[in-house]
């Protein structure tokens, strides 16, 4: 599974869009990009995933560059409850095993 | 909504005790996982199971065993608890990946302290 690189921390004003970047320059053609988040003292929560097209759901949007070497998770209107550690993970399809969580990005949403 | 529940949020046990951590999912998922999370080390996979009575070792299986007698339930067993097993334990489940992507859904975690 390809390695990902994320900034250690970011701040965002409440009500504004939060854009969280992730680099995955060694991604392979069959590897998906997943985003999870973990709010303090809770289990990780699945947010969204994509292969090559941009994706949107009720929580967030995922923008994947054309060369697939980087992606951005967008929380369109951040709230204080979005304060969490956000993990970008790259994993091949058909893999029955583990998710490799890196250190992630700590997003602090401020009033 | 997928729901993954764990038997306890907080647990305190003594060294040498046998400890059972239970996980139940209600979405008929084939795959279930046990991770532990420690500061600076991230999440590490202990064991996973892709079917009833089937199990595979993860990265750190030593000191642990698992049981999957029913599809919805996956138990983690610490045969003789030690202080270095003090950690947050997280259970997750997912559909069998096949050829697609399969997100994992996590329980709330059990914070185990071994004294």
């Amino acid at each position: 599974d390809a390695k990902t690189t994320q900034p250690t921390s970011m701040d965002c004003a409440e009500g504004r869009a939060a854009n969280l970047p992730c680099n995955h320059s060694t991604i392979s053609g069959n590897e998906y990009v997943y985003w999870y988040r973990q709010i303090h003292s809770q289990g990780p929560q699945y947010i969204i995933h994509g292969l090559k097209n941009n994706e949107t759901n009720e929580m967030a949007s995922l923008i994947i560059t054309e060369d697939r070497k980087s992606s951005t998770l967008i929380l369109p209107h951040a709230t204080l409850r979005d304060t969490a550690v956000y993990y970008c993970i790259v994993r091949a399809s058909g893999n029955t095993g583990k998710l490799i969580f890196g250190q992630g990005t700590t997003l602090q949403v401020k009033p | 909504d997928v729901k993954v529940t764990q038997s306890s949020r907080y647990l305190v046990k003594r060294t040498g005790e046998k400890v059972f951590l239970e996980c139940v999912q209600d979405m008929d998922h084939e795959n279930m996982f046990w991770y532990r999370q420690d500061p600076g080390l991230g999440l590490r996979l202990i064991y996973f199971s892709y079917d009833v009575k089937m199990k595979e070792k993860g990265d750190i299986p030593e000191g642990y065993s698992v049981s999957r007698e029913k599809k919805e339930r996956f138990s983690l067993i610490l045969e003789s608890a030690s202080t270095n097993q003090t950690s947050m334990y997280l259970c997750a489940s997912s559909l069998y990946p096949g050829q697609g992507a399969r997100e994992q859904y996590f329980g709330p975690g059990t914070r185990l302290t071994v004294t």
Side-chain angles (χ1 to χ4, degrees):
Chain A
D1 294 334
K3 182 180 166 62
T4 63
T5 304
Q6 299 176 253
T8 303
S9 63
M10 295 180 64
D11 289 343
C12 178
E14 189 178 19
R16 304 297 293 269
N19 296 280
L20 292 91
C22 180
N23 286 321
H24 31 79
S25 57
T26 60
I27 193 169
S28 300
N30 68 341
E31 288 183 316
Y32 288 78
V33 180
Y34 291 81
W35 284 84
Y36 286 76
R37 73 180 182 184
Q38 190 171 21
I39 296 169
H40 183 61
S41 295
Q42 297 183 23
Q45 178 188 23
Y46 164 78
I47 301 173
I48 199 167
H49 73 271
L51 184 61
K52 48 187 174 182
N53 297 323
N54 297 338
E55 303 287 345
T56 295
N57 63 20
E58 64 278 4
M59 288 183 69
S61 295
L62 174 60
I63 309 298
I64 302 174
T65 58
E66 196 170 336
D67 63 8
R68 304 210 321 123
K69 293 186 176 183
S70 65
S71 61
T72 301
L73 179 75
I74 302 172
L75 307 178
H77 305 287
T79 71
L80 298 178
R81 287 178 296 179
D82 292 321
T83 292
V85 180
Y86 287 78
Y87 298 98
C88 171
I89 299 165
V90 172
R91 202 180 71 154
S93 63
N95 184 342
T96 60
K98 60 193 174 190
L99 291 173
I100 300 175
F101 285 75
Q103 296 304 308
T105 297
T106 299
L107 175 68
Q108 181 74 47
V109 180
K110 299 187 173 181
Chain B
D1 271 359
V2 175
K3 193 158 186 184
V4 180
T5 56
Q6 295 183 228
S7 49
S8 306
R9 288 285 276 136
Y10 299 94
L11 207 54
V12 179
K13 295 292 182 181
R14 294 191 182 276
T15 301
E17 278 193 81
K18 191 168 186 177
V19 181
F20 293 86
L21 302 182
E22 304 284 339
C23 175
V24 177
Q25 51 93 5
D26 66 357
M27 284 301 292
D28 203 35
H29 284 173
E30 291 86 0
N31 284 14
M32 295 188 75
F33 307 83
W34 275 107
Y35 296 85
R36 64 177 281 178
Q37 185 173 28
D38 301 288
L41 296 176
L43 273 80
R44 294 178 290 168
L45 182 68
I46 304 171
Y47 267 98
F48 70 99
S49 168
Y50 52 89
D51 202 351
V52 175
K53 297 190 186 295
M54 306 301 290
K55 60 186 178 184
E56 292 284 342
K57 293 180 180 179
D59 295 323
I60 50 164
E62 296 79 20
Y64 303 94
S65 61
V66 290
S67 172
R68 191 148 180 222
E69 296 296 320
K70 294 185 177 182
K71 191 175 186 180
E72 68 271 18
R73 188 179 297 269
F74 192 35
S75 302
L76 180 70
I77 304 152
L78 287 66
E79 295 290 343
S80 177
S82 63
T83 54
N84 63 12
Q85 292 178 309
T86 291
S87 186
M88 169 73 92
Y89 289 87
L90 291 156
C91 175
S93 73
S94 75
L95 289 168
Y96 186 75
Q99 291 305 308
R102 292 288 185 256
E103 57 272 24
Q104 291 185 18
Y105 294 90
F106 285 80
T110 295
R111 187 164 294 281
L112 172 67
T113 302
V114 182
T115 62

